[in-house]
Amino acid sequence: MVAVEEERMLRLAEQCLERAKSFMGKSTAPLDVSISSSSSPGQSRPHQTAVLPSTSPKKSGHRRVLSDGGGEPSPFLPPEIFQKLQTVESQDTSKRELTPIEQASRLNQKLKANYEARLARLTPGQAYQKTSLTLSLQRQMMENLIIAKARQDALQRKMEERRLRLQEEANRRFAASGAMTAEDQEQRSLYTNVLEYEQDHDWPKLWKAKIKENPDNVTLVPHLVSYLLSQSDHPLVKLLKKHQASRSSHNLLHLVLFICLCEKSVDHTETQRKPTRTVSSSGQSFSTDSSLSHDLHVNYDEDDVEDVEEANPQVTVDRENSFEDLEQFLTQLDWAPPHISTDDTTSDLETKCDHLMLDESHVQELEMRALKEHLKAVVKDIHIALDQLLSLCLLSFECLNTASSKDLCLASIEEAFFMPLWSALLALFRKVNREREQAFEASMKLYRDASPEDVGVTSKLFPQEPCLQGSYPYESAVQELKLILKDCCPQRKLECIVRTLRQICVCAEEYRCLHESNSTPTTAAIGADDLLPILSFVALRSQCPQLVSECAALEEFIHEGYLIGEEGYCLTSMQSALAYVESLHTGGTHLPAQTLI
Amino acid sequence: MAAGGSGGNSGRTYSFKVVLLGEGCVGKTSLVLRYCENKFNDKHITTLQASFLTKKLNITGKRVNLAIWDTAGQERFHALGPIYYRDSNGAILVYDITDEDSFQKVKNWVKELRKMLGNEICLCIVGNKIDLDKDRHVSVEEAESYAESVGAKHYHTSAKLNKGIEELFLDLCKRMMETAQAEERLKGNGASQSASGRRGVQIVDDEPQATPAGGCCSSG
């Protein structure tokens, strides 16, 4: 009796094992059921759940399971199904985390391996135990799958609800700011994107935790921001790219505006029945512009503009706007009294192109005014863009919202922002500051071989006897200053100016010691009275008129926190020295200080 | 004329910019060096030597960061003064009591500063080199009454003897703090923080109601 019972149990166990094996190799058809909805044909899961609880160690239950048999969904999902699953849930492709069904399958595979190992250890006489093991394996695997399916469904629902919830969260976050402006709205939607991104990616959480653990470690902040900026699908990076694209199109717009202005002013003069000028003559007047406009044409050839416009409809829109602006601008001018400037900058310009008629210099004046307006708008846009980027960054990582971290954060963002833009931006600044650069160049030529004494450096602060061959006083500072052209971000350029001034102080100290070696030390350290003449000398020797525009641009983009500190002081001193150099060729009679204020 | 206060909260720090004006040989460099390093003649001072100096102070429990900007006294750099003293909270105008001309220069600067910065800037007129009183060419009465007439305070110092310098800066700091606080009250409880800032980054700084539930994926 017992033997018969044992035999039966053994057979049962064998059947179970067989079935389990057959599941493994089974076709994918019944498996899809487990992924798709429960309304699939054949064995719907609710039915099975009804059956399974009864398959507890009761013998009667065993039979029922057996008789029930057939194509239940396999507890294991073959790899190809996994792939299918993952592609179906495309929103999870970037996610490292496994879906509940995947997790369940992994778990089931482990269970199976475990089961097989235990089965192998069993002696043939333990058939009953074998059966119960098999059954409990089946039950566990089934349960795992069912739970996984339920979780998967719940997850799906949650994903749908998530966007809504995040939207609300963003709304709450911004509710404090009172009335909604368009910018707030934009910021809000950007923040929603960030929240969404953070749900799909783990690294922001990890970084936040890291910073929380080491609040005093300032080196973490630049690392975080540079990591953030390397994540091309992060909303912040997308925003950055968007701003950069619009900035470069802005610069193209500038050129377009420039060209229209030529044509427009021709029309303008004709309708006024003034001496007519041909388009070619106006073209000539612009081609006589200094080398600066050539720079610009190298960067943005007219053909290039056409190409880009064809490729990018955005620019065309801008162009239309520029026409409107221009129209408005010109109508204003119609009512303005004839604009004949008496300041010496104009006379300077006139002597340079005295073959041109008065209204041509008038056109140039118009051009300059338009350029200045444009530059102002560009600068403002850049500030707005940077503000937006910074606040989004701080919203994304609240841990960065401390005074010191914020500065570091902004520095990193600025660097990424300006890197591709600086050369185009500088071209614009150079165009606007053309006259100042020309003045600088004139002084530079006049004072090519000047000694420090010629620009007012006290004799104590440079060596009297000629230096080593080919070198001159303060050469190391001049070399340092020249490096400013190589950097592409305001912050770095500013640091370069600071280094230059420090180097000047080092040199001055050295030279003074040379003088005082034979006498008792008398004077105190170097103050502004000494510094400015030396700095002027260094600027002269650097032979880069471009410095004028570089500093003008830095002035616009210097970080507010630096205005009052060493950086601000150095930039201010540099500006003063440059202005002094500009005035040198006129005998120092007038300083263009007004242009700096 | 930024109030110079960073943030408007409890542990606040005032940041003040002070420009140093004065003709070539009045001793403004020595004066400021004395104050910042208490060393009259030192070889290694700061990276920018005496042209730009900073000093951290604690006045009645408030932290104050002072940035002292030296300016060039030479005539040919005068036109560039404005870019130095814009946004200054205070100005120290130094003359040499043995040099009548240097006092006249101070008068010119006062006019200029008032024109450019109005009454928000705290002016200090400093008669330096009181150790050379026997050669005095600017009378105490004249200097003090002039200072009073332009709303400035007058101080007598000697960089050489280290006299009156500490008092000068402490007094200036207190006055700048008062000005900043008055300005703050005018603005109304610091509600508008970024009044003068070119770039008013305003971050809504309230506590988040709830941090995004740390992963609904793992909850079941």
Side-chain angles (χ1 to χ4, degrees):
Chain A
M1 184 67 176
V2 177
V4 173
E5 184 69 17
E6 265 181 16
E7 207 176 58
R8 266 183 58 203
M9 291 302 286
L10 205 62
R11 233 185 16 247
L12 190 71
E14 265 167 12
Q15 279 177 319
C16 286
L17 195 62
E18 210 98 280
R19 177 160 298 164
K21 276 180 184 158
S22 76
F23 289 158
M24 293 293 291
K26 240 184 184 151
S27 73
T28 59
L31 295 175
D32 282 343
V33 170
S34 64
I35 309 151
S36 57
S37 75
S38 56
S39 65
S40 54
Q43 307 75 16
S44 63
R45 211 80 30 67
H47 170 59
Q48 279 167 4
T49 38
V51 172
L52 277 168
S54 66
T55 61
S56 44
K58 275 191 273 170
K59 279 176 202 162
S60 58
H62 295 167
R63 278 179 198 280
R64 273 182 66 191
V65 172
L66 275 173
S67 59
D68 254 298
E72 310 111 310
S74 163
F76 300 115
L77 293 175
E80 62 265 29
I81 304 301
F82 279 144
Q83 276 161 16
K84 239 179 162 179
L85 252 174
Q86 277 174 323
T87 44
V88 167
E89 294 172 52
S90 57
Q91 76 244 49
D92 288 341
T93 45
S94 57
K95 200 160 106 180
R96 313 248 45 218
E97 211 167 300
L98 294 172
T99 66
I101 291 199
E102 285 169 345
Q103 282 173 343
S105 291
R106 292 264 168 103
L107 195 64
N108 284 356
Q109 271 167 341
K110 266 187 218 148
L111 281 174
K112 169 105 195 312
N114 221 336
Y115 159 79
E116 275 169 352
R118 285 173 75 176
L119 215 59
R121 280 202 302 272
L122 286 178
T123 56
Q126 294 171 294
Y128 177 81
Q129 235 172 322
K130 201 174 163 187
T131 311
S132 101
L133 269 179
T134 310
L135 290 173
S136 89
L137 169 73
Q138 276 195 325
R139 182 180 50 80
Q140 276 181 7
M141 293 204 298
M142 231 36 237
E143 276 175 7
N144 282 344
L145 254 191
I146 288 157
I147 290 167
K149 171 69 178 131
R151 279 172 60 180
Q152 184 89 356
D153 287 346
L155 184 65
Q156 215 87 44
R157 266 201 314 281
K158 279 196 175 174
M159 294 290 265
E160 283 158 27
E161 288 165 8
R162 192 180 73 172
R163 230 204 123 76
L164 219 64
R165 199 162 43 77
L166 294 180
Q167 183 67 56
E168 277 169 13
E169 190 171 328
N171 289 353
R172 267 206 308 279
R173 180 84 197 244
F174 284 89
S177 53
M180 281 285 275
T181 64
E183 285 145 50
D184 288 341
Q185 213 118 40
E186 196 185 351
Q187 193 81 346
R188 184 188 286 200
S189 82
L190 283 169
Y191 184 56
T192 313
N193 292 343
V194 170
L195 288 178
E196 192 165 25
Y197 178 89
E198 283 177 6
Q199 302 255 301
D200 290 337
H201 296 80
D202 273 338
W203 67 264
K205 252 174 274 163
L206 298 176
W207 268 103
K208 281 174 189 173
K210 212 167 171 185
I211 288 189
K212 214 170 208 168
E213 278 167 34
N214 312 290
D216 299 324
N217 190 349
V218 282
T219 56
L220 274 180
V221 178
H223 279 138
L224 165 59
V225 180
S226 68
Y227 185 80
L228 168 65
L229 292 171
S230 71
Q231 303 298 306
S232 58
D233 52 343
H234 192 280
L236 181 85
V237 181
K238 287 182 185 163
L239 181 68
L240 175 72
K241 294 278 182 293
K242 195 189 100 192
H243 280 310
Q244 281 173 338
S246 80
R247 283 303 88 64
S248 39
S249 68
H250 224 118
N251 242 312
L252 288 177
L253 157 70
H254 149 244
L255 191 67
V256 171
L257 184 126
F258 187 85
I259 295 159
C260 322
L261 195 60
C262 300
E263 294 164 3
K264 269 285 175 184
S265 28
V266 173
D267 295 348
H268 178 65
T269 46
E270 274 168 354
T271 50
Q272 300 269 318
R273 290 192 189 150
K274 280 181 185 169
T276 51
R277 282 186 301 110
T278 59
V279 178
S280 65
S281 87
S282 82
Q284 195 198 352
S285 84
F286 288 111
S287 64
T288 56
D289 279 347
S290 77
S291 57
L292 298 174
S293 69
H294 290 295
D295 286 356
L296 208 74
H297 282 264
V298 173
N299 287 343
Y300 303 105
D301 211 44
E302 282 177 44
D303 294 340
D304 282 345
V305 177
E306 295 292 322
D307 287 346
V308 174
E309 273 177 31
E310 269 161 31
N312 184 359
Q314 179 66 40
V315 181
T316 328
V317 174
D318 278 348
R319 182 181 183 156
E320 271 159 24
N321 287 342
S322 84
F323 272 125
E324 276 172 31
D325 289 348
L326 205 65
E327 212 90 63
Q328 206 185 352
F329 180 54
L330 288 170
T331 39
Q332 281 170 357
L333 281 169
D334 277 345
W335 300 101
H339 203 94
I340 302 160
S341 176
T342 49
D343 56 65
D344 25 35
T345 49
T346 322
S347 68
D348 185 53
L349 221 149
E350 275 167 2
T351 50
K352 189 175 156 278
C353 22
D354 50 358
H355 64 287
L356 297 170
M357 293 193 304
L358 183 69
D359 59 322
E360 273 166 357
S361 78
H362 178 64
V363 167
Q364 287 194 325
E365 212 174 288
L366 288 187
E367 175 214 328
M368 193 46 81
R369 275 177 63 176
L371 272 178
K372 279 181 178 160
E373 285 300 309
H374 174 62
L375 182 63
K376 233 191 234 166
V378 169
V379 168
K380 197 178 159 203
D381 276 2
I382 288 177
H383 279 303
I384 291 171
L386 284 172
D387 284 350
Q388 198 183 16
L389 285 165
L390 179 65
S391 31
L392 187 60
C393 185
L394 296 181
L395 275 172
S396 312
F397 294 92
E398 275 177 61
C399 45
L400 297 181
N401 204 351
T402 63
S404 59
S405 298
K406 205 156 122 182
D407 287 354
L408 291 167
C409 205
L410 183 61
S412 302
I413 291 176
E414 275 181 356
E415 193 170 353
F417 183 86
F418 282 110
M419 206 66 94
L421 290 183
W422 191 266
S423 62
L425 202 57
L426 186 71
L428 192 52
F429 271 97
R430 295 196 69 176
K431 196 116 190 64
V432 170
N433 290 293
R434 193 182 56 208
E435 282 166 25
R436 289 187 55 204
E437 284 200 20
Q438 282 168 349
F440 187 96
E441 214 167 344
S443 302
M444 207 177 79
K445 281 180 183 139
L446 209 61
Y447 283 73
R448 193 184 295 136
D449 303 312
S451 84
E453 198 156 25
D454 296 329
V455 285
V457 181
T458 44
S459 57
K460 268 184 288 181
L461 294 177
F462 63 96
Q464 295 302 304
E465 60 275 13
C467 295
L468 298 163
Q469 234 177 0
S471 78
Y472 51 89
Y474 296 101
E475 192 175 3
S476 57
V478 173
Q479 297 306 333
E480 184 66 61
L481 182 58
K482 280 180 171 174
L483 295 176
I484 198 176
L485 308 182
K486 292 214 170 79
D487 288 312
C488 275
C489 131
Q491 187 56 40
R492 304 219 174 249
K493 284 172 185 285
L494 206 54
E495 282 162 14
C496 179
I497 292 180
V498 173
R499 283 196 305 272
T500 303
L501 266 82
R502 287 179 177 179
Q503 188 58 40
I504 286 175
C505 289
V506 170
C507 290
E509 190 71 35
E510 243 168 59
Y511 298 144
R512 202 180 56 187
C513 287
L514 283 177
H515 282 280
E516 286 175 352
S517 55
N518 42 13
S519 61
T520 48
T522 46
T523 44
I526 288 121
D529 290 339
D530 296 320
L531 188 69
L532 269 181
I534 302 173
L535 191 55
S536 305
F537 173 74
V538 168
L540 263 177
R541 282 295 179 121
S542 76
Q543 310 238 320
C544 336
Q546 191 184 328
L547 267 179
V548 172
S549 302
E550 294 271 5
C551 287
L554 286 184
E555 183 73 32
E556 294 291 348
F557 299 116
I558 183 175
H559 188 229
E560 208 181 53
Y562 289 130
L563 267 180
I564 211 177
E566 190 178 10
E567 291 87 353
Y569 183 78
C570 290
L571 181 60
T572 303
S573 300
M574 197 68 202
Q575 296 263 63
S576 302
L578 290 175
Y580 174 64
V581 169
E582 285 163 43
S583 75
L584 274 178
H585 77 286
T586 61
T589 46
H590 67 279
L591 287 172
Q594 280 75 5
T595 57
L596 294 171
I597 302 157
Chain B
M1 288 119 321
S6 60
N9 303 325
S10 48
R12 68 166 301 166
T13 304
Y14 290 94
S15 291
F16 292 129
K17 172 178 166 181
V18 175
V19 277
L20 198 58
L21 299 159
E23 229 196 347
C25 300
V26 299
K28 58 190 162 83
T29 308
S30 310
L31 197 84
V32 76
L33 274 182
R34 235 335 165 203
Y35 178 63
C36 289
E37 310 285 326
N38 203 16
K39 279 168 195 161
F40 189 56
N41 200 345
D42 196 284
K43 292 256 178 240
H44 303 283
I45 303 122
T46 60
T47 47
L48 289 184
Q49 302 241 359
S51 51
F52 173 82
L53 289 164
T54 55
K55 176 119 179 167
K56 285 181 176 20
L57 297 155
N58 200 320
I59 298 172
T60 61
K62 302 259 169 52
R63 274 182 308 230
V64 177
N65 287 340
L66 215 54
I68 303 164
W69 290 42
D70 191 15
T71 62
Q74 298 96 320
E75 197 73 57
R76 61 209 155 100
F77 292 112
H78 279 190
L80 303 159
I83 65 167
Y84 274 96
Y85 52 67
R86 67 183 156 190
D87 295 331
S88 296
N89 304 91
I92 296 174
L93 303 116
V94 190
Y95 69 93
D96 178 350
I97 59 159
T98 67
D99 181 357
E100 167 71 30
D101 202 39
S102 69
F103 185 63
Q104 289 307 316
K105 290 274 157 51
V106 164
K107 288 181 176 176
N108 293 343
W109 270 306
V110 168
K111 253 184 250 160
E112 175 111 1
L113 286 169
R114 285 289 182 225
K115 195 174 82 194
M116 304 293 291
L117 300 176
N119 287 321
E120 280 168 75
I121 184 164
C122 302
L123 299 185
C124 303
I125 296 174
V126 179
N128 193 30
K129 305 195 185 177
I130 50 167
D131 47 298
L132 302 174
D133 200 55
K134 57 177 170 34
D135 297 320
R136 178 183 278 280
H137 280 94
V138 182
S139 80
V140 176
E141 299 76 41
E142 188 199 348
E144 284 183 343
S145 70
Y146 170 73
E148 207 187 329
S149 73
V150 293
K153 275 208 160 190
H154 192 278
Y155 304 85
H156 304 275
T157 63
S158 165
K160 198 174 177 184
L161 306 175
N162 195 11
K163 265 192 180 164
I165 297 170
E166 199 73 35
E167 295 87 330
L168 155 70
F169 279 95
L170 188 67
D171 201 46
L172 173 61
C173 283
K174 285 180 179 165
R175 282 163 62 204
M176 290 191 295
M177 280 166 75
E178 277 165 26
T179 311
Q181 281 159 0
E183 204 174 296
E184 230 165 76
R185 274 194 297 276
L186 262 176
K187 274 188 210 159
N189 277 336
S192 54
Q193 267 169 289
S194 55
S196 66
R198 281 191 304 199
R199 32 165 74 194
V201 191
Q202 267 194 325
I203 307 300
V204 185
D205 205 7
D206 55 343
E207 285 299 306
Q209 281 88 343
T211 41
C216 55
C217 308
S218 53
S219 63

